[in-house]
Amino acid sequence: MTQDVLASGGLGFLESAGPTLVWLIVVSFVFLECAVILGLFLPGDSLLITAGIGLAGHASGVSHVWALSAGAFLAAIVGNQVGYVIGKRTGHRLVARKNGKYINVENLEKVNRLLERHGFWAVLVARWIPWVRTLCPMVAGAGNMNHRRYTVASTLGALIWAPVLLLLGFYFGSWLDRVPWLFPTVLTLMIVSIVLGTAFGIYQYRKEMRRPAVTTEVHDIDA
């Protein structure tokens, strides 16, 4: 039923190119959110849920969503390791933006204090806090947090983040399939919001990066 609804609703591309396209977008976004500053401005959580909903409308959606869950999980782990290495190479000094909305000294210091106080658990929970999720790996690396402890925490965090949101979206989409007109409506609205959110995020990123650079000292993280 869902396949016919997708085609009639103008979303037939999800049936033909959907899984491959979803894979590329989701894995790329997850990696960027966990590895580099640009990830601060990307709609990662809503993208994962939307991807799950989209795959619910595909004939082999079950196999795709479980495979993508594994792929997103690995992308999150690799992204966090890249972010950690980037921070490690800064030598206790991270670059912020003067009067920046997200990339500012205050936010970097907040993440530093969070890691100092809670260490392992802070890295674990950071997955569910968008701006902390991106800054945490770099601050952990710059603060010389124990790499093994960091890796275990970030791996567990990845496991309870990306796969959970993808599967929530998928099973929500399966429920929407019971109401034929509702599935394409919700999916269309979410896709539009993702596209607009990404475009606005990139605009915000470019605006933020044009602000004057300032540096902040990151304290050692022994927790």
Side-chain angles (χ1 to χ4, degrees), residues 107-189:
N107 280 348
L108 289 172
E109 289 179 346
K110 285 179 183 177
V111 176
N112 197 180
R113 288 195 298 270
L114 186 67
L115 290 172
E116 282 184 298
R117 293 173 183 172
H118 305 290
F120 180 96
W121 296 107
V123 174
L124 185 68
V125 174
R127 290 288 186 183
W128 291 92
I129 309 173
W131 65 273
V132 179
R133 178 167 59 234
T134 302
L135 296 179
C136 179
M138 286 176 277
V139 175
N144 286 323
M145 181 177 180
N146 181 276
H147 187 250
R148 181 178 296 178
R149 183 187 295 262
Y150 168 81
T151 298
V152 173
S154 66
T155 300
L156 291 175
L159 184 62
I160 61 174
W161 173 59
V164 168
L165 290 180
L166 276 167
L167 291 170
L168 281 175
F170 179 80
Y171 288 108
F172 177 62
S174 299
W175 177 81
L176 289 177
D177 188 32
R178 301 175 185 177
V179 185
W181 64 268
L182 190 58
F183 185 94
T185 301
V186 172
L187 184 57
T188 300
L189 289 174

Side-chain angles (χ1 to χ4, degrees), residues 72-114:
F73 169 62
L74 292 174
I77 294 173
V78 173
N80 268 182
Q81 292 300 320
V82 170
Y84 184 92
V85 170
I86 291 174
K88 186 79 171 177
R89 291 182 176 179
T90 64
H92 283 79
R93 296 182 69 83
L94 290 176
V95 177
R97 297 291 160 177
K98 186 176 181 180
N99 298 321
K101 185 176 182 180
Y102 295 108
I103 318 170
N104 54 54
V105 172
E106 291 78 13
N107 280 348
L108 289 172
E109 289 179 346
K110 285 179 183 177
V111 176
N112 197 180
R113 288 195 298 270
L114 186 67

Side-chain angles (χ1 to χ4, degrees), residues 44-80:
D45 292 342
S46 54
L47 173 68
L48 289 167
I49 294 173
T50 302
I53 294 174
L55 289 175
H58 194 272
S60 55
V62 175
S63 59
H64 279 297
V65 76
W66 282 102
L68 182 55
S69 294
F73 169 62
L74 292 174
I77 294 173
V78 173
N80 268 182

